[in-house]
Amino acid sequence: MLLMAAGASATPRTVTFGSADGRTMVVGYLFQPATPGPWPAVVMLHGRGGPYSSNDNADCTFVGAGTTSACNATTLSKRHMMWGEYWSARGYLALLPDSFGPRGKAHGFGRFTHDDPDRADVNEMTVRPLDAEGALLYLRGRGDIILWQIFLQGWSNGGSTALNVMIRQGNAAGYRGALVFYPGCGQMALLAPTISTVAPIALFLGSDDEEVSPLICQHVAERSQQAGTRIDVILYSGATHDFDEPSSRRQSTPGNQAAMDDALVKAAGILDSWKN
């Protein structure tokens, strides 16, 4: 397993910014590089479980844009901490927005709950893309970010959100590219069956995903490639949903271990190749 850089476990800084919906203040967690800026940046979009550890999120209560003892920068999930530290160690500023907490859903949602009506006001098609667009505006206004080197990364529901951001963005100048991990790609998850954008996309899929269909995502990728979108598919044999979750339970699946190790090698190389 790839080791994180030494000294990379500092608690991320909590910030707030406005969603592009014009009314929601989103809480975000910043992982800042130790090197002087300006930096490229990655906006990380959490999945349907939310950004916090499952050991804590059952006790989440959220008041406005504030944080609680159960849900804050100290209780982020191992995966989000790992990736935030990964990017900051490589000279990227990473921003993890919490789309759920400010809307009273900081506890997140369990598996196979896509039809839960409680998820409607935090959905990946019409709500969460506006938070990602608000994050882009926030980063552009900081003064320490390389404006043409802001990227997206999303997991599962957040991966679908990232694809919808790309669909909305189209040929406009926005996110420079997107790393998308095991998203839902069906008609209930995406705004369009074909993604048409000038920004490159990399899909990371597990062949044994038990929550979403990698085959549907591959079909979306094929149609999008035919439409002229640069979209690459990395399919990991034997890997399941959440293959990059660093918990011992997930990593006990050999396919997940190999997939996570490979993704941690590939991700930075892909963004570095997209910078110019």
Side-chain angles (χ1 to χ4, degrees), residues 145-201:
I145 301 299
I146 303 172
L147 299 182
W148 60 93
Q149 294 180 2
I150 305 176
F151 303 91
L152 265 181
Q153 181 179 24
W155 298 267
S156 193
N157 180 274
S160 302
T161 302
L163 293 177
N164 286 324
V165 171
M166 294 294 102
I167 291 169
R168 286 170 56 88
Q169 182 172 299
N171 295 332
Y175 283 102
R176 183 64 186 84
L179 303 174
V180 181
F181 285 64
Y182 37 84
C185 294
Q187 61 181 359
M188 299 301 292
L190 296 187
L191 291 167
T194 300
I195 303 162
S196 180
T197 177
V198 295
I201 298 168

Side-chain angles (χ1 to χ4, degrees), residues 1 5 15 31 56 67 76 83 118 120 166 226 229 261 275:
M1 185 179 298
V15 298
F31 298 80
D56 299 291
T67 57
L76 296 175
W83 278 104
D118 198 34
M166 294 294 102
Q226 292 169 5
T229 297
D261 289 350
K275 280 182 180 178

Side-chain angles (χ1 to χ4, degrees), residues 43 64 116 138 169 188 193 211 249 263 276:
V43 173
D116 185 343
Y138 164 75
Q169 182 172 299
M188 299 301 292
E211 291 195 37
R249 181 179 62 85
N276 298 314

Side-chain angles (χ1 to χ4, degrees), residues 105-117:
K105 311 293 173 68
H107 51 76
F109 300 90
R111 298 173 65 192
F112 310 117
T113 59
H114 194 272
D115 294 331
D116 185 343

